[in-house]
Amino acid sequence: MDHGGHGMTMDLPPFTLGRALEYSPDLFFLIGCLLALALYGTGVLRLRRRGDEWSAGRTVAFVIGVLTVALVMCTGLNDYGMVMFSAHMIQHMVISMVSPILLLLGAPVTLALRALPVAGRGRKGPRELLLAVLHSRYVRIVTHPAFTIPLFIASLYGLYFTPLFDFLMGSRAGHIAMMVHFLAVGLIFFWPIMGVDPGPHRPNHLMRMLELFAGMPFHAFFGIALMMASEPMVAVYRTPPVSLGIDALSDQNAAGGIAWAFSEIPSVLVLLALVYQWYRSEQRQAKRSDRAADRDGDKELAEYNAYLASLQARGQ
């Protein structure tokens, strides 16, 4: 089936899970997914060849993240997403909230920094360019909560409740650009929150949780707005093909329910990851303190006890 835009998928049969999962690749995303897997795999192999370890869990998370992108963009779901609001909303929620979390858990930036060779003195190679980008003013701005949270919200309300969505859906290039935007916004939003890869903003775990929950309620409100609407709100989906056998308003209600549900699921996944990271951080800090105590004979505790003894002596 062609993903060219309106009129190209008008003969779709009624939606079923089997039909949605049929292989129907979008060439742009297929090449992108294969390239991402190849680059990541090359980085892991380079580390292994020189005797360095790389977490299998990170590799699994990244691979699954890439596969989730392929799942929504290289199957029949992408065809149905052109004519069904609910199918499109599944694509949007997965590629903007599930895929970014999994990709970031794979720590691709950390892998690149470890795998890329250091350029010679006075020269700049890919690793040096990557470091320059990470420390640039542009990245500091686009990863700051004052930018990421409004952008995350605007990607919902500013897109679906304006003519911009209809314009983008009118061409294959526009549709691809919109999906790439969803993925990029998700990566930018969750990057400082996940805190796996290095970045210009490294808030503590409590602040990361606050950033996470600052954006999630707007997803729920967006879903509720779609479910409570008394008429179709997006022009592209007002007249679904007769062959689908669906009602536009009911389909929009389903899309709203999907958006509402996805405001909860990723939040739980990220929260679990943050709690685990917090626990690991506390464990590492405790081990460092124990090692320091072993080296200096617990000098800090001895000094504290001496201080308490001095206070007691003064009180007598």
Side-chain angles (χ1 to χ4, degrees):
M1 297 177 185
D2 196 327
H3 301 139
H6 298 304
M8 297 297 184
T9 54
M10 299 299 283
D11 59 344
L12 287 173
F15 181 91
T16 64
L17 182 60
R19 289 168 180 156
L21 295 179
E22 289 178 359
Y23 181 61
S24 180
D26 180 291
L27 200 57
F28 177 88
F29 282 96
L30 179 62
I31 293 173
C33 288
L34 292 175
L35 184 60
L37 292 174
L39 290 173
Y40 195 93
T42 300
V44 173
L45 287 175
R46 181 170 289 182
L47 289 184
R48 295 282 172 84
R49 283 172 182 166
R50 71 185 189 206
D52 292 340
E53 293 293 326
W54 183 256
S55 168
R58 286 182 174 181
T59 302
V60 170
F62 187 85
V63 170
I64 295 176
V66 173
L67 291 178
T68 59
V69 175
L71 178 67
V72 298
M73 296 308 304
C74 296
T75 63
L77 185 64
N78 193 34
D79 298 306
Y80 281 100
M82 300 300 294
V83 290
M84 287 181 64
F85 200 179
S86 55
H88 167 82
M89 194 57 65
I90 293 173
Q91 289 182 281
H92 179 173
M93 294 297 111
V94 170
I95 206 170
S96 68
M97 301 187 74
V98 177
S99 302
I101 293 170
L102 292 167
L103 293 172
L104 290 168
L105 285 174
V109 176
T110 301
L111 176 62
L113 291 174
R114 290 184 59 186
L116 289 171
V118 178
R121 181 176 297 179
R123 299 171 58 189
K124 286 189 177 181
R127 186 178 187 277
E128 287 70 28
L129 291 175
L130 177 58
L131 282 171
V133 170
L134 290 174
H135 291 97
S136 67
R137 179 180 296 180
Y138 172 77
V139 171
R140 284 200 300 271
I141 292 173
V142 300
T143 59
H144 194 279
F147 182 88
T148 60
I149 294 174
L151 179 65
F152 194 69
I153 297 168
S155 291
L156 289 173
Y157 298 89
L159 185 65
Y160 291 99
F161 296 161
T162 69
L164 180 59
F165 182 81
D166 298 320
F167 171 76
L168 293 173
M169 288 289 286
S171 68
R172 180 174 181 274
H175 184 243
I176 289 174
M178 177 169 55
M179 290 300 175
V180 170
H181 169 79
F182 290 152
L183 179 61
V185 168
L187 289 169
I188 291 171
F189 177 76
F190 287 111
W191 179 10
I193 293 175
M194 300 300 295
V196 177
D197 273 327
H201 297 287
R202 303 290 290 183
N204 60 41
H205 292 87
L206 181 59
M207 285 302 300
R208 293 182 200 175
M209 292 180 186
L210 292 176
E211 288 180 28
L212 172 66
F213 290 115
M216 290 304 106
F218 291 95
H219 256 273
F221 297 151
F222 171 75
I224 292 170
L226 291 179
M227 288 189 289
M228 293 184 63
S230 58
E231 61 180 11
M233 301 177 68
V234 180
V236 169
Y237 299 116
R238 281 178 186 161
T239 54
V242 177
S243 62
L244 291 174
I246 61 171
D247 172 68
L249 188 57
S250 298
D251 187 51
Q252 178 174 280
N253 290 341
I258 291 165
W260 175 79
F262 267 90
S263 67
E264 306 297 331
I265 298 170
S267 300
V268 173
L269 292 176
V270 175
L271 191 59
L272 289 174
L274 286 177
V275 170
Y276 178 71
Q277 290 176 19
W278 201 342
Y279 169 76
R280 290 288 301 275
S281 176
E282 293 296 321
Q283 290 290 98
R284 287 193 295 269
Q285 182 61 40
K287 288 180 180 178
R288 283 195 294 267
S289 298
D290 290 343
R291 285 195 297 268
D294 290 340
R295 285 194 303 269
D296 59 20
D298 219 345
K299 181 180 177 182
E300 185 178 345
L301 179 60
E303 290 176 349
Y304 182 67
N305 287 335
Y307 171 70
L308 292 178
S310 68
L311 290 178
Q312 186 176 10
R314 286 187 211 141
Q316 290 178 347

